Amino acid sequence: MMDLRLGPAPARTGSSLLYQGNDWNFEILRDCYDAVAEIADRELGLTVYPNRLEIITSEQMLDVYTAHGMPLGYRHWSLGKRFISHENAYRRGMMGLAYEVVINSDPCISYLMEENSATMQTLVIAHAAFGHNHFFHNNRLFREWTNASEILDYLEFARGYIHQCEERYGIAAVERILDAAHALQGQGVHRHSGARRLDLRGEQLRAQARRQHEEATFNDLWRTLPLDDEQQPEAASSDPLRRRLGLPEENLLYFLEKHAPLLASWEREVIRIVRMIAQYFYPQPQLKMMNEGCATWVHDYIMRRLHENGRIDDASYLEAIHSTSNVITQPDFDAGGGPSFNPYALGFAMMRDIARICSAPTAEDRAWFPDIAGNGQPIGTLKHAWAEFRDESFILQFLSPAVMRQFRMFRIHDDTSTPYLLVDAIHDDAGYRDIRRTVAQAHDPANMHAEIEITGANMHADRLLTMEHRTVRGHQLQPSDARQTLQHMADLWGYGVQLIERDMHDGTVLTTYEATRGNARKRE
C-alpha cells in the first residue's frame, strides 16, 4: 500500500497533456491531482477535507470491502467470511472491484486501484477526493451526525480495547457479545435525537472513566453503569420505573448497554463500541443517491474541462465517457433493474437536470421550479442542494417531469385482493406528483428499518423484556430471521424477551415471538 498525503494544490498554467497512454507514475499522479484540484477550486468552488490517496492492489481492495471501507478495525470472524466470499466471486469473474473507495474522515482517505489506467486514476481523484469529499464536508446530515476528525482515532481505540478483552476474557467470550451486537446494530442507533453529533474522542475518555468507576464500585449482584446527565431518559410516564428505564426506547443496543442486569462492564463497553460505529454510518444510506450523484457530476464536469483545456487527449476523454456511461446505466426491469433505481444513474440525471433548469429552462420547468428556473447559477444551486437535503427531500424537491420521462417512470397499485394490476400514475401533472412522492418514499429512512421499540421490562419479577414491532399486514418480519435475532437479544438481556408484531392501524396483534437464553420460538 502506497500513501500519498496531498495538501492544497498550487495554481497551474499551460495546456500540455498531463500524460499519454495508460501508464502512470507518482509524478503523473501528482500532476493530475493538481489539475483536478485547480478546476474543483476555481470553477466549482468545492470545499474539502485534506486529501490522502492510497494506492492499493486488488487483494487489498478486497480487504477494504471486508472492513466496510474503513482502514482499521477490530477482528471478527465475519470479516474473514466476507473476505473469502468476495475473493471467490472476484476470482471466478462473478463480481468486479470498484475503481476507488473513499472514507468520510479528516483527512479524507481515497483508495485507488493500482491496476487503474492514468485516466481512471484522474477520474477517481475527481470523483472521490473532490466529489465525495465535498459532499462529506458540507452536507448537513454528515455535519450533524458525524465528526470526521475523530473516527480514525476511535477505530484505533476500539481495536485496542477489544484486543485487550480477548486477551483477558478469551476470544469466545468476546465473540459472543460481538455476534449479538452485530445482529442488533441495525436497531442500535438513535434516529430522532436531533443534531447531537458523536463526540468520539470524548467517548474514549468516558470509557476510561467508566472502567475506573466500575473497579471502585464493583457489585457482583447488580452491575450497571450510573447514568450521567447526558444519558437521563426524557420519556414522560407516570411509572417511575418506565421513567428510569427511558421507555419506550428505539435504540436496542443503548438500552442493553445501560440496563441489562447480567452484563459485565467490559461487555457493556463492547456493545457501546458497536453502537458508536453503527451510529457513525447512520447517515450514509440516507444520502446514497445524492452522494453518488454529486461525485459523478463533479468528475464528469472536471474530466470534460480537462479535455477542453487540452490537459487530456481524445482517447483519454473517451475512456472517461465510457466509464461514466457504464456507471450510470439503468437496467430495464427485466434486465435486472428491478423495482429500484441505480443511485448513480438517478442521482447524476437529477444533478444534470438541475444544471439544465438553471441555465436553459423550458416552460414546464418554470411552472414546476419557479425558484431556480433560469437563475443562471447552476453550480450554486447544486451546492445548496448537496448541503441541505437528503435523498428523500431532494427527490421531493427536485425530481422533474423530464427525468421521470427519461426513466419511463409510472406507478402500479398492486391490490392482492384483485386479480389485476392497476397503473394509477401516468405522465400527466397529477401522475408526476404521485410518482415523485412514491420515489421519495422509497428513500425515506423510516422505511429502511423495522419500527421496533422496547416498551416494557418487568424488573420486579421475571424481568421479561417486551418489544413491539409496529407494521402492517404483509410487511411482517421474516420468521427465521426474527427468531435468530431475538435470540441474540435474549442472550444479552439474560432473561426472557418477547416481541409483539402489532398492526399500526388498529392495534391487532399479528404475531408474537418469545425467547429465553438459548431458546427462541414463535407463537401465533
Side-chain angles (χ1 to χ4, degrees), residues 20-41:
Q20 287 183 301
N22 293 325
D23 294 337
W24 60 270
N25 56 39
F26 287 106
E27 183 179 355
I28 289 175
L29 201 63
R30 180 70 204 214
D31 289 343
C32 293
Y33 177 89
D34 290 348
V36 169
E38 183 178 359
I39 296 173
D41 179 41

Side-chain angles (χ1 to χ4, degrees), residues 40 91 116 158 196-197 241 302 310 458:
R91 303 301 179 200
N116 290 347
R196 186 176 65 185
R197 185 168 63 170
L241 178 60
I302 291 176
N458 187 356

Side-chain angles (χ1 to χ4, degrees), residues 55-80:
I55 312 300
I56 62 176
T57 65
S58 59
E59 185 164 338
Q60 289 171 325
M61 182 63 82
L62 288 170
D63 278 332
V64 172
Y65 278 12
T66 298
H68 302 291
M70 302 311 290
L72 64 155
Y74 54 79
R75 298 181 302 179
H76 188 256
W77 62 266
S78 63
L79 303 181

Side-chain angles (χ1 to χ4, degrees), residues 66 72 142 158 160 177 184 252 273 319 356 382 420 426 451:
T66 298
L72 64 155
F142 280 118
I177 302 299
L184 297 166
L252 306 188
I273 286 171
E319 182 183 353
R356 178 193 62 80
L382 284 170
Y420 56 81
I426 58 174
E451 186 179 351

